[in-house]
Amino acid sequence: MNALKRHRLLTRIWASDSGWKRCFTTVSHTDLGRMFLGMAFFYFAVGGVLAMLIRAQLASPDAAFMGPDIYNQVFTMHGTMMMFLFAIPAFEGLAVYLLPKMLGARDLAFPRLTAYGFWCYTFGGFMMLTSMLVGLAPDGGWFMYPPLTGPAASPGVNTDVWLLGVTFVEISAICAAVELCVSILKFRAPGMSLDKMPIFAWYALVTALMILTAFPPLILGSILLELERAIGLPFFDAALGGDSLLWQHLFWLFGHPEVYIIFLPAAGLISTIIPVMSRTSLLGHGWVVASVVALAFLSFGLWVHHMFATGIPHMGVAFFSAASTLVAVPTAVQVFAWIGTMWHGRPQLQMPMLYILGFFATFVIGGLTGVMLAIVPFDWQAHDTAFVTAHLHYVLFGGFVFPVLAGLYYYAPLVTGRRRFFRIGEYAFGLVFIGFHGTFFAMHWVGLLGQRRRIYTYDADTGWELINLISSIGGFVLAIGLAMVLLDLALNAIVAIRGKRNPWRSGTLEWSMMLPPSAYNFASLPRVTSREPLADIPDLPTRLARGEGYLAVPRDGRREMLTVSTTHAHPESLVVYPGNTALPILMAAVTGSFFLSLLFKIYWFTPFAVLAVAALAWRWVWGLGSQTDEEDQEIGFGETVPHAMQTDRSQGWWGSVFLMVADATLFGSLIFGYTFLWTIAPNWPPPQWLAFSVWEPLIGVAGAAVAIIAARQTPRPMQRRSGTTTGMPHLLPTWQSLLGLSALAAAFIGLLLRTPLPTEHAYGAVLCVISAFGLFHALLAILMLVFLVFRIRRGFISSRRRSEVEIVKLWINYAALIGVVCLVLILSPVLFT
């Protein structure tokens, strides 16, 4: 088969639908990456317009441009859009688009999950954007501190829009994080061991793991605050055993790691671009990877950095102050590695390097002001002033936007296949750099003079007038510069001339394909022996196009990809991807109907939305698998591998593991919240304890034990001579597990019925949430078991096709463990008080 015929066959197999259906049915990572980036920059533009409205209001004292109510909505939506609708989705878009190409893969691990995440992000963002257009936008700040956002102080739906909209959008972030973790660890080119991965993949892996462990506390906080607003459960009401500081802890358990979740992908772009622009390799590659991991760990120990003014005990303040200064060490390791790389090489001052130099000048200032704010006496003086706002923008704009703009210029030839012709970008960079520093350096100054953040006006005799005018002028210069950047990129993408392959002479795999990339990325998968395979084998693109790699022969119209061992990247199994489908957008729309029913208080519709989501999830999974066994498949170089459905550790099993990481983090946050209220909140102990009964723990623990033991004894279904699975005799352990989980669910139902009235004290409210959490997991495992029974009866499971059995076993064990821990949490205080 020649290269042209292979290209045509693979294009026919992997292409998205044509015409208007394409964006609604595509599951291609290339399409979805572009869609993520396009939507993220749309929200970036909207957030920028809101920023200009803020600067117009503050340009002069006693301005009447906006009233306080509208101003509160504007600055709340500005922060929300930049943090939740631009920064994280922009990272998701970059990672979704680039990682398969960098890793030598044809797509990500779960293409439909990527599409579902995109539509959840889109619908959730439009829900919040629409609220702004009708005057019901959130107005409590992007941090939503209670009691100002509680039912008494904020009785409208404005706060509910934020709580439900952000939670809806965060589904997208969790989906992307699971997708990226599995893809990076299991969907690499054969031979690409962990030490040979591109540096950006390391940054993306650490960032994805941080999302899985940082977003759940905010999701939990949003759920608790919405429950307080909707049905009166007093988690944050001090008069009824709650505490508003619990929200701050949950929010900043997310919020401070969020800063590094935003920064690390941008740092990954810098670590990718600087060596190429300097014609050398990255200095201290191993040290950079170690510093990224260290930075991720340290970021989770800094959340109280934002709460020094809330009355934290002095010992805790000292600890978190020291930790906040310590985080500068791994950041400095990366900065010095980048400087050393440029010193060792011969940097070329192309457009990407301009923005990287702008990053150095800006981010270092942001880092130094961060160290200043880590010093407690200074923090007490500068807390809630414009100085903090300026520091935040120096870190986030300097640490994310500048590198992302560098990345856009660096990867524009890859995306468009064209080289730059118009030279607007250099002028745009000058305006962006001058405008940014004019805006936010002045904000440092006015903050030190005492201007509070989040104020909508100020008096004429404060001495802040000229500084605010300078800051506002700088803001408009910055906006003009950013508009020119987008214009430059658009003009060069549309009307510039065709460029050559690999214009930067990079050595990584994303430049070894045709430009712009084809639907399948690689005609055959490369076998990797170093970090820069294209530098080692300059004619690698030609070899791969000729089929001199893995999976060179298209088979039966199937979208095929390999999974590899986690550490050494030895081929393990063959994955067949599903084709184009509208199921993700339909699933996201039904998920959105669930959130809308809560927003508009149409609670009778909520169960129907939940059932519809479950039905679509059933349909989603039912289309996978096969009713016949397959022999091991030839993949090239004389190697054969089994089909992924005939392995114990399929990509679905790995995806479940990472989803459990997020779920366990949410559960850990719930335990933290329970402990915090118990030990810190006022009005404890509660007026009424849960009456102890031996029946719930006995039934629940026994049911969990039966479920786990039966799951372990579940044999791989034996086969008759005809090749079909045997029936009921081999389903006995499955029914036993089902009985055990039903007993566990019954125990939680009993506890919910006996819990003290949850609206009278936070104790009863917390017991309700813990019981509901355990019940949800038991019901989820029951649903999976019922699904497995149907799959066995329909012949989808055999002694070889066993991957689904292993996934269900994993969830049974997890649900049983969660159930037992929930029972211990609920009943231990009753026994020991």
Side-chain angles (χ1 to χ4, degrees):
M1 182 184 298
N2 62 35
L4 182 58
K5 183 177 181 181
R6 179 176 295 103
H7 167 70
R8 288 173 175 170
L9 282 174
L10 287 170
T11 300
R12 190 178 308 123
I13 293 169
W14 288 86
S16 301
D17 291 334
S18 59
W20 63 269
K21 295 193 302 181
R22 177 172 185 145
C23 68
F24 300 109
T25 61
T26 183
V27 292
S28 164
H29 81 97
T30 298
D31 289 341
L32 291 166
R34 288 195 296 248
M35 290 159 68
F36 259 114
L37 286 171
M39 192 61 65
F41 276 92
F42 166 74
Y43 286 124
F44 180 61
V46 175
V49 171
L50 296 177
M52 293 303 96
L53 295 178
I54 294 171
R55 289 317 318 168
Q57 171 69 16
L58 296 177
S60 60
D62 301 316
F65 181 68
M66 285 186 286
D69 293 337
I70 297 298
Y71 184 84
N72 287 343
Q73 293 186 28
V74 168
F75 89 77
T76 298
M77 287 300 295
H78 166 70
T80 299
M81 285 197 169
M82 292 304 192
M83 297 294 287
F84 297 102
L85 301 181
F86 166 62
I88 299 301
F91 156 65
E92 294 170 17
L94 284 169
V96 165
Y97 186 88
L98 291 175
L99 278 174
K101 298 172 174 58
M102 288 181 166
L103 299 174
R106 286 174 173 166
D107 212 322
L108 295 167
F110 309 106
R112 293 185 299 177
L113 186 64
T114 308
Y116 172 67
F118 169 76
W119 290 112
C120 284
Y121 159 56
T122 301
F123 294 156
F126 277 139
M127 187 170 85
M128 288 192 281
L129 188 61
T130 303
S131 73
M132 186 172 62
L133 296 177
V134 298
L136 296 174
D139 55 1
W142 71 275
F143 35 80
M144 284 289 149
Y145 285 170
L148 295 178
T149 53
S154 181
V157 300
N158 305 64
T159 299
D160 300 303
V161 170
W162 192 95
L163 295 171
L164 297 170
V166 166
T167 302
F168 193 9
V169 169
E170 284 172 346
I171 293 175
S172 170
I174 298 296
C175 290
V178 171
E179 177 84 86
L180 296 178
C181 287
V182 179
S183 299
I184 293 169
L185 292 177
K186 302 300 294 182
F187 285 72
R188 308 193 300 272
M192 185 182 281
S193 56
L194 291 179
D195 64 312
K196 297 183 181 69
M197 282 201 316
I199 190 65
F200 183 79
W202 275 108
Y203 279 93
L205 176 61
V206 172
T207 303
L209 289 170
M210 290 179 69
I211 289 174
L212 292 177
T213 48
F215 277 57
L218 179 59
I219 294 174
L220 174 66
S222 300
I223 293 171
L224 297 184
L225 185 52
E226 182 60 28
L227 286 173
E228 179 171 299
R229 293 176 54 82
I231 57 178
L233 302 189
F235 299 104
F236 308 104
D237 187 347
L240 298 175
D243 195 329
S244 59
L245 279 182
L246 173 60
W247 171 268
Q248 290 199 38
H249 281 289
L250 293 175
F251 184 87
W252 291 115
L253 275 168
F254 148 81
H256 203 88
E258 162 86 341
V259 173
Y260 299 95
I261 290 171
I262 292 172
F263 165 67
L264 284 179
L269 288 172
I270 295 170
S271 294
T272 299
I273 296 170
I274 284 180
V276 176
M277 291 293 156
S278 301
R279 298 289 177 260
T280 186
S281 58
L282 179 64
L283 181 68
H285 183 279
W287 285 100
V288 171
V289 172
S291 70
V292 172
V293 176
L295 192 61
F297 274 105
L298 288 172
S299 70
F300 285 92
L302 307 179
W303 80 93
V304 179
H305 173 102
H306 300 268
M307 301 172 62
F308 285 160
T310 60
I312 301 295
H314 292 305
M315 182 64 73
V317 167
F319 172 81
F320 285 103
S321 177
S324 299
T325 56
L326 182 62
V327 78
V329 176
T331 307
V333 169
Q334 295 173 70
V335 171
F336 282 112
W338 298 328
I339 294 173
T341 301
M342 290 189 291
W343 184 269
H344 183 260
R346 295 166 55 189
Q348 295 180 323
L349 201 60
Q350 304 278 0
M351 276 304 303
M353 280 299 292
L354 283 178
Y355 281 101
I356 287 177
L357 293 177
F359 154 81
F360 278 118
T362 307
F363 185 75
V364 170
I365 295 174
L368 291 174
T369 55
V371 174
M372 292 169 65
L373 290 169
I375 307 303
V376 178
F378 181 83
D379 181 84
W380 284 345
Q381 299 300 316
H383 186 73
D384 267 348
T385 68
F387 186 93
V388 177
T389 306
H391 157 72
L392 176 69
H393 284 82
Y394 263 82
V395 170
L396 295 183
F397 196 101
F400 183 75
V401 177
F402 273 110
V404 165
L405 294 179
L408 290 179
Y409 276 104
Y410 180 75
Y411 282 112
L414 175 68
V415 177
T416 65
R418 300 177 183 273
R419 64 182 178 88
R420 288 186 70 221
F421 178 77
F422 299 97
R423 299 293 170 176
I424 304 173
E426 287 79 358
Y427 300 101
F429 167 76
L431 292 177
V432 169
F433 187 81
I434 294 170
F436 174 83
H437 286 277
T439 302
F440 294 104
F441 191 83
M443 202 174 289
H444 280 113
W445 182 11
V446 78
L448 290 176
L449 292 179
Q451 179 174 310
R452 313 304 295 174
R453 62 195 301 197
R454 300 187 288 272
I455 59 171
Y456 83 100
T457 190
Y458 53 93
D459 295 331
D461 57 353
T462 56
W464 305 336
E465 302 91 332
L466 178 61
I467 306 173
N468 274 298
L469 180 60
I470 293 171
S471 183
S472 295
I473 292 172
F476 282 94
V477 171
L478 171 61
I480 294 170
L482 289 171
M484 289 176 62
V485 170
L486 297 179
L487 176 64
D488 185 46
L489 290 169
L491 286 176
N492 283 297
I494 296 171
V495 300
I497 60 177
R498 298 283 299 179
K500 62 181 181 180
R501 179 183 292 175
N502 195 10
W504 310 115
R505 291 185 290 169
S506 173
T508 47
L509 285 175
E510 70 268 27
W511 298 102
S512 64
M513 60 185 73
M514 65 177 67
L515 303 184
S518 59
Y520 53 83
N521 287 346
F522 299 94
S524 57
L525 305 184
R527 182 158 57 177
V528 174
T529 57
S530 71
R531 288 191 195 123
E532 296 189 341
L534 187 55
D536 295 340
I537 310 173
D539 65 338
L540 181 63
T542 304
R543 295 188 184 188
L544 296 179
R546 289 200 303 252
E548 298 178 16
Y550 290 92
L551 299 182
V553 180
R555 281 179 288 216
D556 304 322
R558 303 195 307 185
R559 300 182 177 188
E560 294 181 334
M561 179 56 199
L562 296 176
T563 66
V564 297
S565 61
T566 303
T567 306
H568 300 292
H570 300 311
E572 283 189 341
S573 66
L574 181 72
V575 173
V576 177
Y577 289 125
N580 302 319
T581 174
L583 195 56
I585 187 174
L586 180 60
M587 183 83 159
V590 174
T591 307
S593 71
F594 166 78
F595 286 99
L596 288 175
S597 71
L598 297 176
L599 177 63
F600 294 112
K601 309 296 188 289
I602 313 174
Y603 296 126
W604 63 266
F605 182 76
T606 304
F608 294 101
V610 173
L611 290 175
V613 170
L616 285 173
W618 185 293
R619 175 66 184 85
W620 182 299
V621 184
W622 190 265
L624 302 175
S626 172
Q627 292 174 294
T628 58
D629 293 338
E630 293 191 14
E631 298 300 322
D632 289 358
Q633 301 290 312
E634 170 70 32
I635 60 172
F637 299 99
E639 299 180 47
T640 59
V641 294
H643 194 286
M645 66 182 177
Q646 298 175 180
T647 62
D648 290 338
R649 300 291 184 265
S650 65
Q651 71 270 29
W653 188 91
W654 283 96
S656 296
V657 168
F658 287 109
L659 187 57
M660 288 174 185
V661 170
D663 186 85
T665 304
L666 188 144
F667 188 43
S669 302
L670 179 57
I671 296 173
F672 166 81
Y674 187 22
T675 306
F676 177 83
L677 292 178
W678 187 281
T679 57
I680 302 296
N683 297 311
W684 281 71
Q688 179 185 358
W689 296 97
L690 174 70
F692 180 76
S693 171
V694 72
W695 293 111
E696 286 98 354
L698 182 62
I699 293 172
V701 172
V706 168
I708 292 175
I709 294 171
R712 289 181 177 276
Q713 293 178 347
T714 300
R716 294 172 182 172
M718 301 299 292
Q719 290 183 305
R720 298 191 183 102
R721 291 180 182 179
S722 64
T724 61
T725 59
T726 59
M728 289 300 297
H730 299 280
L731 289 176
L732 180 59
T734 304
W735 292 116
Q736 291 171 337
S737 290
L738 192 61
L739 179 63
L741 290 169
S742 299
L744 181 61
F748 285 117
I749 292 173
L751 287 171
L752 282 169
L753 294 175
R754 295 197 309 108
T755 297
L757 194 62
T759 57
E760 292 185 351
H761 195 273
Y763 169 71
V766 172
L767 291 195
C768 277
V769 172
I770 295 175
S771 298
F773 191 83
L775 177 62
F776 169 79
H777 285 79
L779 294 177
L780 179 63
I782 288 172
L783 180 63
M784 290 184 171
L785 269 172
V786 172
F787 177 82
L788 185 63
V789 169
F790 278 91
R791 296 286 279 186
I792 292 174
R793 287 185 173 278
R794 292 297 180 90
F796 284 94
I797 311 296
S798 73
S799 60
R800 297 186 66 184
R801 286 174 277 116
R802 59 189 184 270
S803 63
E804 295 176 26
V805 176
E806 299 302 320
I807 294 171
V808 174
K809 281 184 180 180
L810 183 66
W811 280 100
I812 291 172
N813 293 332
Y814 181 73
L817 177 62
I818 289 291
V820 171
V821 176
C822 286
L823 290 172
V824 172
L825 286 173
I826 292 170
L827 297 171
S828 293
V830 179
L831 290 174
F832 297 106
T833 54

